[in-house]
Amino acid sequence: MNRLTAVDLHDGLAVETVVYPYGTVCISSQAGCRMACPFCASGRKGLVRSLTAEEMLLQVETAPSAKRVTVSGIGEPLDNFDEVARFIALCPLPVSVTTTASSTELLKKLLLLPHNGVMISIHGGTEEAHKKLVPKAPPLIEIYSALASAWEQMSVRARKRVGLNYLPVAGINDSEEEIELFAQAALKFPESSVHLLSLNKVPNSPFQPVSHARRDEIFQLLRGQGINVRRANAFRRQEKGGCGTLWLKKYID
Ligand code: SF4
């Protein structure tokens, strides 16, 4: 079972952190999030403030047996770039980061830091689908262009640590056309992998996950194109799986 912890901050805020049984701790980089992706609970209250590197380390300390860290909880890490970069430098464990590429210039910088992985939330083959799920992110064409520019400067080892995240949502981005266009874009970064995520339902969200059968079809479609595709594991598919389900807790309303 995942262990969900609300980590208290000095000003009465608390952010949720998830410890997965396989040795990964998922931490938050901000209290709230301005990105307001409509399938996600974490951005519902907007951004309250960014966390310091020390507050990120505090979350890691709640998981003494963790072997690695993912900055995939509440917040857009690029909106707090300096502190996230400082955290990567200070953290004794390998750190991966999940981002919507809210700033393409900072995405390029992040890709060149000594991270253990950068997962970019794409979630669409067309710009229309991408905009529906990540409305405040730059257009896909700009994200891929920034990735291509950093790619030139990255070693093969670093390239293998880049993931393109795809969250299939029923009726939004699960058509053959969407998957085909996404696959064409992903194939331009051949050492990268695709992470096929699962939508965890949050209250009052109109978005529905695709069926298990459709998810398997999408997996096979991507694999059939020669893409290194991985599925979210069972722990991330739990109700408190972390992806999009974490809440900012504010004790001083
Ligand atoms: S998915 Fe990430 S970037 Fe989007 S609102 Fe949630 S925490 Fe923010």
Side-chain angles (χ1 to χ4, degrees):
M1 283 287 286
N2 301 335
R3 181 162 61 80
L4 189 73
T5 310
V7 178
D8 292 319
L9 306 177
H10 68 88
D11 54 0
L13 298 170
V15 288
E16 288 188 326
T17 297
V18 188
V19 184
Y20 296 107
Y22 51 90
T24 298
V25 56
C26 171
I27 67 157
S28 299
S29 57
Q30 295 185 298
C33 181
R34 76 166 176 98
M35 296 302 286
C37 305
F39 58 86
C40 173
S42 307
R44 292 260 176 100
K45 292 180 182 175
L47 174 66
V48 179
R49 71 170 171 86
S50 289
L51 304 192
T52 62
E54 286 73 19
E55 288 172 322
M56 291 177 231
L57 287 167
L58 190 65
Q59 296 172 69
V60 176
E61 285 164 15
T62 67
S65 59
K67 297 182 180 65
R68 65 195 80 79
V69 181
T70 177
V71 186
S72 306
I74 304 170
E76 167 45 66
L78 293 184
D79 285 1
N80 186 18
F81 180 81
D82 289 348
E83 289 302 306
V84 169
R86 208 160 65 79
F87 168 71
I88 291 172
L90 289 172
C91 185
L93 300 175
V95 178
S96 63
V97 177
T98 300
T99 177
T100 61
S102 60
S103 156
T104 51
E105 283 311 305
L106 292 177
L107 173 65
K108 287 191 253 181
K109 280 189 167 184
L110 175 67
L111 286 162
L112 300 176
L113 289 182
H115 56 74
N116 191 41
V118 173
M119 314 304 148
I120 307 171
S121 300
I122 301 293
H123 305 339
T126 62
E127 186 52 34
E128 189 188 356
H130 173 242
K131 267 281 165 272
K132 279 184 186 158
L133 295 174
V134 202
K136 295 191 180 173
L140 284 176
I141 192 168
E142 291 178 20
I143 295 173
Y144 289 133
S145 163
L147 182 55
S149 138
W151 211 248
E152 300 297 312
Q153 301 168 61
M154 293 164 70
S155 64
V156 170
R157 193 158 176 253
R159 290 174 178 179
K160 284 184 176 166
R161 292 190 169 142
V162 172
L164 301 177
N165 283 350
Y166 202 91
L167 178 72
V169 179
I172 304 283
N173 64 356
D174 58 337
S175 68
E176 307 287 308
E177 184 204 4
E178 291 287 342
I179 303 302
E180 175 61 33
L181 287 170
F182 170 64
Q184 283 172 19
L187 283 167
K188 294 187 178 136
F189 306 98
E191 299 95 340
S192 70
S193 53
V194 163
H195 296 222
L196 196 57
L197 307 182
S198 286
L199 179 68
N200 295 315
K201 281 277 288 167
V202 296
N204 306 319
S205 167
F207 295 103
Q208 297 292 333
V210 295
S211 66
H212 290 303
R214 184 59 186 150
R215 212 161 149 271
D216 287 345
E217 284 167 9
I218 293 172
F219 177 82
Q220 295 301 345
L221 279 170
L222 292 169
R223 200 157 74 164
Q225 300 264 6
I227 290 172
N228 176 17
V229 53
R230 303 174 196 170
R231 282 181 264 217
N233 63 43
F235 299 110
R236 285 184 181 258
R237 297 201 305 269
Q238 290 177 13
E239 188 186 345
K240 283 292 183 185
C243 302
T245 61
L246 303 189
W247 290 91
L248 163 67
K249 303 211 160 166
K250 193 169 179 220
Y251 296 143
I252 52 170
D253 282 325

